[in-house]
Amino acid sequence: MNEPAQAAAAPLFNPLSPEFIRNPYPHYDHLRQLDPVHITAHGMYLVSRHADVSSVLRDKRFGKDFVERSTRRYGPKIMEEPIFRSMSHWMLQQDPPDHTRLRGLVVKAFTARRVEDMRPRIQEVVDRTLDRVIPQGQMDLIEDFAFRLPVTIICDMLGIPKEHREVFFSGTRDSGRILDPVPLTPEDIAKSNANYVLSQMYFQQLFELRRKQPGDDLTTQLVQAEEDGSKLTNEELTANIILLFGAGHETTVNLIGNGLLALYRNPDQLALLKARPELIANAIEEFLRYDSSVQMTGRVTLESIDDLGDKKIPKGETVLCLLGSANRDPAAYPDQPDRLDITRPNVRPLSFGGGIHFCLGAQLARIEAEIAISTLLRRLPDLRLDDAQNPEWRPTFVLRGLKRLPARW
């Protein structure tokens, strides 16, 4: 009799537990069925159904209110920590009018036309990466392949000189913890501060370089907006360049890695994509839906809410939207949502968020993943994973991705 009682006492949402990180989807299933608007151990409201997530992302009664939210969780001194002060200036954490002003400064670099024009450059980077590793007969698909492409492209966009890039290719990828919905320890904060200070030092040098030698890049554009004085402060400039660099590669690395893992775990879908390469664009949408590289995004109630599920939510509360759960909700995808199907019709994943914070780089990420995965399958048709069943996941929840994915051919 004892075991079920213990199992029942386990929290419905324990995002950093190894089994949750390995496969969060059965846990989401429980949440959607048992408690679709769930209050977590840390007092946050967790929304898991597609309809609810979708409506929160687009509803103006929900905002970001980052400073107030962080102060409530960590106390009034938290904004003295460099990493929190920097994040408070991220456009991702801003509400209008600041969000509108900051996003307006960078949106031109991500228009559909500009991103389409980057296809030849993306293809060149993928081919050069494969030329380097093919003679070796093996590689880590994350570090040697998925990681190099989006880092190279975001370096291009930000005008980071080629001779500065090696440090970014060899950099550690342990910054994801700052976004997880579990309070950070003082050690976590100290580590994040140290990483932030190093980034800040580098980008301040880059700003100096682009003031003296302007280029056709985002950094030059933002430095000029800062010099205008009314558009951007130096602190905002630094914070948002760091955000663009991180967001510009982290999630795409995971999209490529998670997509490849899903394909190789589903040999019928892999064979289908090899036979019909024209399915790649729809396949990318299905990878985004099936195993999203961003599992969650947060909002704050700007007024009290009484029409979300069965809960009344007071003003100022944090509401966490489980994008990964919404993407597998049978109410939105009635035909076997837990199955990978690259021919699935009407796939509209919520992986890029929604509303005013819809991901700026969504189209760029799609095209990078499309070119990377289709080129890999074409050039290495006999590639096989060392261990598709037990890969090593990164110990973070919001940013879902693999630590490594060894393969050979």
Side-chain angles (χ1 to χ4, degrees), residues 202-221:
Y202 173 74
F203 284 111
Q204 294 285 355
Q205 289 170 1
L206 182 66
F207 301 154
E208 282 313 306
L209 178 67
R210 289 294 164 242
R211 285 187 186 106
K212 295 192 190 92
Q213 299 170 26
D216 179 21
D217 56 68
L218 254 172
T219 302
T220 300
Q221 206 180 301

Side-chain angles (χ1 to χ4, degrees), residues 238-287:
T238 310
N240 283 288
I241 288 278
I242 290 173
L243 169 67
L244 286 166
F245 180 78
H249 75 279
E250 270 292 353
T251 50
T252 309
V253 176
N254 294 345
L255 167 57
I256 295 169
N258 297 3
L260 285 168
L261 177 67
L263 264 187
Y264 281 88
R265 281 176 160 179
N266 292 273
D268 61 320
Q269 298 298 298
L270 176 62
L272 180 59
L273 188 53
K274 284 178 175 175
R276 296 181 55 198
E278 72 277 6
L279 289 172
I280 186 68
N282 199 69
I284 298 301
E285 297 308 296
E286 176 68 346
F287 299 150

Side-chain angles (χ1 to χ4, degrees), residues 53-342:
V53 168
S54 208
S55 93
V56 169
L57 294 177
R58 290 167 179 79
D59 189 329
K60 291 187 166 58
R61 297 174 300 165
F62 296 86
K64 287 290 185 171
D65 208 359
F66 178 79
V67 175
E68 166 69 15
R69 177 167 41 117
S70 304
T71 306
R72 279 181 69 161
R73 195 199 273 188
Y74 292 102
K77 287 203 146 99
I78 194 63
M79 285 302 145
E80 293 169 19
E81 300 288 352
I83 184 66
F84 277 84
R85 202 164 58 242
S86 173
M87 286 169 77
S88 73
H89 294 294
W90 287 3
M91 68 184 88
L92 179 64
Q93 302 287 13
Q94 295 276 7
D95 292 311
D98 287 329
H99 172 265
T100 318
R101 170 176 57 86
L102 292 169
R103 191 169 169 122
L105 291 172
V106 298
V107 72
K108 289 191 286 292
F110 293 94
T111 59
R113 178 67 206 278
R114 280 197 83 152
V115 170
E116 267 310 313
D117 289 347
M118 290 159 71
R119 274 185 188 270
R121 170 64 175 152
I122 293 168
Q123 186 68 61
E124 177 201 350
V125 175
V126 172
D127 280 324
R128 204 181 293 159
T129 302
L130 288 173
D131 290 343
R132 206 177 62 241
V133 296
I134 282 175
Q136 298 166 10
Q138 61 180 61
M139 67 166 148
D140 172 6
L141 282 166
I142 304 302
E143 191 179 330
D144 301 327
F145 182 67
F147 184 62
R148 290 193 79 88
L149 168 64
V151 172
T152 303
I153 299 300
I154 197 66
C155 284
D156 285 357
M157 292 181 79
L158 293 177
I160 293 173
K162 288 195 167 48
E163 62 273 20
H164 294 181
R165 294 185 184 183
E166 210 39 59
V167 62
F168 293 109
F169 292 128
S170 56
T172 58
R173 294 178 61 228
D174 60 2
S175 57
R177 186 62 191 86
I178 192 86
L179 300 172
D180 284 331
V182 173
L184 296 163
T185 64
E187 294 74 41
D188 290 330
I189 293 173
K191 196 173 178 185
S192 296
N193 283 339
N195 287 340
Y196 166 72
V197 168
L198 287 174
S199 299
Q200 182 191 34
M201 280 161 59
Y202 173 74
F203 284 111
Q204 294 285 355
Q205 289 170 1
L206 182 66
F207 301 154
E208 282 313 306
L209 178 67
R210 289 294 164 242
R211 285 187 186 106
K212 295 192 190 92
Q213 299 170 26
D216 179 21
D217 56 68
L218 254 172
T219 302
T220 300
Q221 206 180 301
L222 291 176
V223 161
Q224 288 166 352
E226 182 221 13
E227 285 167 354
D228 182 6
S230 61
K231 291 184 183 156
L232 195 67
T233 67
N234 185 263
E235 219 169 357
E236 287 175 330
L237 169 66
T238 310
N240 283 288
I241 288 278
I242 290 173
L243 169 67
L244 286 166
F245 180 78
H249 75 279
E250 270 292 353
T251 50
T252 309
V253 176
N254 294 345
L255 167 57
I256 295 169
N258 297 3
L260 285 168
L261 177 67
L263 264 187
Y264 281 88
R265 281 176 160 179
N266 292 273
D268 61 320
Q269 298 298 298
L270 176 62
L272 180 59
L273 188 53
K274 284 178 175 175
R276 296 181 55 198
E278 72 277 6
L279 289 172
I280 186 68
N282 199 69
I284 298 301
E285 297 308 296
E286 176 68 346
F287 299 150
L288 284 161
R289 183 199 72 81
Y290 181 77
D291 201 7
S292 177
S293 42
V294 179
Q295 288 285 309
M296 190 201 83
T297 185
R299 296 287 187 273
V300 169
T301 49
L302 302 177
E303 56 185 75
S304 61
I305 307 286
D306 55 12
D307 55 357
L308 189 67
D310 58 350
K311 304 272 196 308
K312 281 194 173 3
I313 308 180
K315 180 185 174 184
E317 294 295 338
T318 299
V319 177
L320 305 175
C321 296
L322 289 173
L323 305 173
S325 172
N327 284 339
R328 293 222 195 169
D329 186 345
Y333 297 98
D335 183 19
Q336 295 181 277
D338 288 323
R339 183 169 67 94
L340 183 76
D341 176 6
I342 62 168

